[in-house]
Amino acid sequence: MTTATSAPPMIRATGVNKFFGDLHVLKEINLEVPRGQVVVVLGPSGSGKSTLCRAINRLEPINSGEIAVDGEPLPAEGKALAALRADVGMVFQSFNLFAHKSIVDNVMLAPQKVRKIPAAEARKNAMELLERVGITNQADKFPAQLSGGQQQRAAIARALAMKPKVMLFDEPTSALDPEMVQEVLDTMTGLAKDGMTMLVVTHEMGFARRAAHRVVFMSDGEIVEDAKPDEFFTQPKSDRAKDFLGKIL
Ligand code: ADP
Ligand code: MG
């Protein structure tokens, strides 16, 4: 595979600061996610992981710094923002599917509305995506009729339907029963193998070890470590990372 050396990283955050009132939740964040890479974000609760994800597609405004997606600085608002946001797929802990729409309708909706794709084409694309996440047989059911793992895979298909350049996952398996975690991680691993650029907040250390190109460790609003998984798990440099790993491994 050849990548032009001049290609910008898919995500580049430079000197990003974010406050909630007096609370400084993102402190001079510098982060690059090169195209095709999987970056896993680890860190204790309250360290700013979700805020970082939300800042990357401007669900949350930042106070200073810059965030660029595929070389384009994120505009604050307007049509340009909507277009850039469509390039960034996001999957949350809670699946956020539309309860009164079938699974295939959930996946078709945004491409039809935002990208103005005709219904027949949107449905065909949606069915292909449901196949990719392994739930074509659930297409005509409603979200409540699916297991949590199936719903989360539907949510991934829905995000992919917009043909995003990058996918953000914020603790996608945290709300799932244990027996359903692996099917969602497998779906994500498949995406990564297909070359999708991904930023993944998770507590699944097995996934981080196997799928991540890099691990970013956040604590108290700062990126404290940014390392290869092997390095991070075997030789964490900071006391904060050692402490974190001691608690979860
Ligand atoms: P994490 O995802 O790592 O658990 P968050 O990004 O959710 O951390 O939160 C970082 C900090 O910002 C926490 O102290 C949290 O309480 C605070 N916070 C998050 N969202 C808000 C908000 N909307 N208003 C005020 N404080 C918030
Ligand atoms: Mg969070």
Side-chain angles (χ1 to χ4, degrees), residues 49-50 91-93 152 169-175 201-203:
K49 307 179 299 296
S50 293
V91 174
F92 303 90
Q93 180 174 337
Q152 192 58 302
F169 293 87
D170 189 2
E171 301 201 28
T173 61
S174 294
V201 178
T202 185
H203 296 295

Side-chain angles (χ1 to χ4, degrees), residues 78-210:
K79 276 203 176 141
L81 174 60
L84 269 182
R85 216 178 245 165
D87 285 339
V88 181
M90 183 132 182
V91 174
F92 303 90
Q93 180 174 337
S94 55
F95 327 121
N96 294 324
L97 295 167
F98 298 111
H100 302 291
K101 294 203 176 286
S102 71
I103 295 300
V104 67
D105 283 346
N106 263 278
V107 178
M108 289 168 61
L109 201 66
Q112 276 185 279
K113 288 215 158 146
V114 182
R115 298 236 199 256
K116 310 294 179 203
I117 308 283
E121 190 185 338
R123 178 171 294 272
K124 183 170 167 286
N125 292 341
M127 289 307 295
E128 284 171 11
L129 288 168
L130 292 180
E131 183 164 1
R132 192 162 167 197
V133 302
I135 54 167
T136 39
N137 52 349
Q138 311 297 324
D140 297 317
K141 294 189 184 166
F142 289 94
Q145 296 174 285
L146 272 60
S147 72
Q150 290 169 330
Q151 288 187 58
Q152 192 58 302
R153 286 188 280 156
I156 292 171
R158 187 177 61 173
L160 291 173
M162 293 296 280
K163 302 194 195 307
K165 293 178 176 176
V166 52
M167 289 281 285
L168 309 179
F169 293 87
D170 189 2
E171 301 201 28
T173 61
S174 294
L176 297 177
D177 291 335
E179 70 271 23
M180 289 164 192
V181 168
Q182 199 54 47
E183 64 191 58
V184 172
L185 295 179
D186 288 347
T187 301
M188 292 165 61
T189 303
L191 275 184
K193 287 211 172 100
D194 290 345
M196 177 61 79
T197 308
M198 301 176 20
L199 183 73
V200 183
V201 178
T202 185
H203 296 295
E204 294 294 330
M205 298 302 139
F207 178 82
R209 278 175 184 273
R210 282 190 303 275

